[in-house]
Structures are given as structure tokens and as C-alpha cells.
Amino acid sequence: MKNKLFTALYCICLVLFMLTFAIGLPIYCRFLYYIQIKTLGLEQATGWSYGMIKQAYDEVLNFCTLPWVNEFSAGQLKFSESGASHFADCKVLFNLNLGVLLSSGAVLLALIILQRFKKLEILSFGRHKAYFWSGIIAVALPVLLIIIIAIAGFDNSFQAFHAIFFPGKDNWVFSASKDEIIRVMPQQFFMNCAIIIAVGLIAFASALIAADLIIKYKAKGKGGVEEAK
């Protein structure tokens, strides 16, 4: 029973780690946004320089991700009190994501070390390692999300997302004249972020699934060779 509980904890933490890791990709890999300044034609659309757009984005992300940055700023771009309050809400969610990433990673590391020293056993199910099933669950999440977006449409899904994570608030509805940062964060940018998260999660999970299948295949082949001898 004890090993079953540890295995369940391992699977849950692994899924959470993969999910928060994938969510962190568009947040912490800022070069993924810098590339889009050119590909989305933001300079032409706004009349602002690459450096001006980059500075605004960096200052917004510094506020959202760095605990010691408490004052919102967006470079040379204008912003409203309502807009700043929305990014304060985002800061809470970004820090929560980082907290779950670090804590789930710490628990996973502890469980792996304990298994290494034979203090507990991470069980296998259906002849597959526990991380195989975590990978299956993690792959299913973006697939389900894609199906929902395909059915509901990106606009409706985007609104539903904000209704869930920012309940009772409408400060996420920006005015381009009052909150100029939204001009360099068009809808396509947010769609690309969703794609990056989905691809990152699927890639991470697929690597785990593939690792389990490769190990299983090699073990099977090794067993066949030994029987032949």
C-alpha cells in the first residue's frame, strides 16, 4: 500500500512538473517573443522600433516574474491603472506556476533518490513504468485542449480562460489607446503561446513514453538472445 501511494504521488508530481515546465516556456524563454516581433510584423503595425517593443515586453515580464519587482512599467508605452492591476494578477499566477514547478520537481527528486537507495519502490503498471502513464496523461491534456478550442473557437476559449483564472474581473479587456502594451501582444501572440505550451508538453511526455518503450524493447530483445543461448 505504501509503495502504491508513493507511486501515485510520483505520477501526479511528474504530470504537474511537465505541465508547469511547458507553461514556463513562453514565460521564461523570452527569445520566443523576440522572434515574434519580426514574424508578426509588430514594428510595422505599431510604428515602434524593435528596441522599444523589446524594452516594454522585458519590463512587463520582469514585473510578472521577479518577486522583487513591485512596480509595474512598460518601457515607453502608456498603461492604465486597470491594465497594471491585470498584470499584478498575472504575477500571482506566474509565481504559482513557478512554485508548483519547483515543489513538484523537489518531490520527484526526493522520490527518485529514495528509490535509488531502496527506501521505496515506484511501481510499474501493465508492464510499463510509472512515468509512461504520466506521459500518457500529459499528452492527453493538450489534445483535449485542442479539441475544446476547435469546437468553441479561440476567442470563446480565450474568454473562458480569463473567466476561470480571473473570476469576476474585466481588467484583462484592454484599451489599445490606454494600455499600449496590448498592441505588441496581439491575439496571434497568445495563440502562439498556447501552441508552444502544447508542443512543449507533448514533446516532454513523448520523450518519457519513448524511453519506456525503448527500454522495454531492449529488455525483450536481450531476453530473446539469452533464451537462444
Side-chain angles (χ1 to χ4, degrees):
M1 178 59 72
K2 181 176 70 173
N3 285 331
K4 287 183 178 179
L5 291 175
F6 280 126
T7 302
L9 178 61
Y10 173 87
C11 290
I12 292 170
C13 286
L14 184 52
V15 171
L16 288 175
F17 182 82
M18 286 189 283
L19 178 60
T20 50
F21 177 87
I23 291 173
L25 289 176
I27 297 174
Y28 298 105
C29 299
R30 297 191 189 185
F31 71 90
L32 295 173
Y33 175 78
Y34 302 155
I35 294 170
Q36 295 183 73
I37 294 176
K38 295 293 185 182
T39 58
L40 295 179
L42 299 181
E43 293 167 288
Q44 293 80 2
T46 62
W48 300 326
S49 68
Y50 176 92
M52 185 175 174
I53 296 172
K54 181 177 178 295
Q55 180 191 15
Y57 182 80
D58 282 339
E59 290 191 13
V60 170
L61 264 290
N62 286 343
F63 172 77
C64 290
T65 60
L66 302 178
W68 58 87
V69 178
N70 297 314
E71 185 174 347
F72 179 80
S73 62
Q76 302 175 54
L77 306 188
K78 294 187 298 184
F79 62 88
S80 67
E81 184 178 338
S82 174
S85 69
H86 173 65
F87 285 107
D89 294 335
C90 292
K91 183 182 182 78
V92 173
L93 292 180
F94 286 6
N95 288 336
L96 175 62
N97 185 79
L98 180 61
V100 174
L101 174 66
L102 295 177
S103 58
S104 61
V107 173
L108 283 173
L109 181 60
L111 290 174
I112 291 171
I113 291 174
L114 288 172
Q115 179 179 236
R116 179 75 175 176
F117 288 96
K118 303 186 184 303
K119 299 298 182 180
L120 59 85
E121 181 183 4
I122 305 299
L123 303 175
S124 298
F125 295 97
R127 298 182 180 180
H128 290 286
K129 299 292 186 180
Y131 58 78
F132 172 88
W133 299 110
S134 293
I136 293 294
I137 294 171
V139 167
L141 293 176
V143 171
L144 179 62
L145 180 62
I146 291 169
I147 292 173
I148 292 173
I149 292 175
I151 294 174
F154 185 79
D155 287 343
N156 290 332
S157 300
F158 191 69
Q159 292 177 16
F161 168 84
H162 283 84
I164 293 171
F165 289 98
F166 306 99
K169 296 188 176 183
D170 59 3
N171 57 5
W172 58 273
V173 181
F174 288 92
S175 168
S177 60
K178 295 180 180 179
D179 291 287
E180 293 180 327
I181 189 66
I182 199 62
R183 295 183 60 190
V184 294
M185 292 182 177
Q187 187 179 73
Q188 186 61 50
F189 162 70
F190 291 106
M191 187 178 294
N192 290 342
C193 287
I195 292 171
I196 291 169
I197 293 170
V199 170
L201 184 55
I202 290 173
F204 198 153
S206 297
L208 293 179
I209 294 171
D212 177 79
L213 294 177
I214 290 171
I215 292 172
K216 188 176 174 60
Y217 175 78
K218 287 184 176 180
K220 184 178 180 180
K222 186 177 179 180
V225 171
E226 291 178 351
E227 286 180 8
K229 290 180 179 179

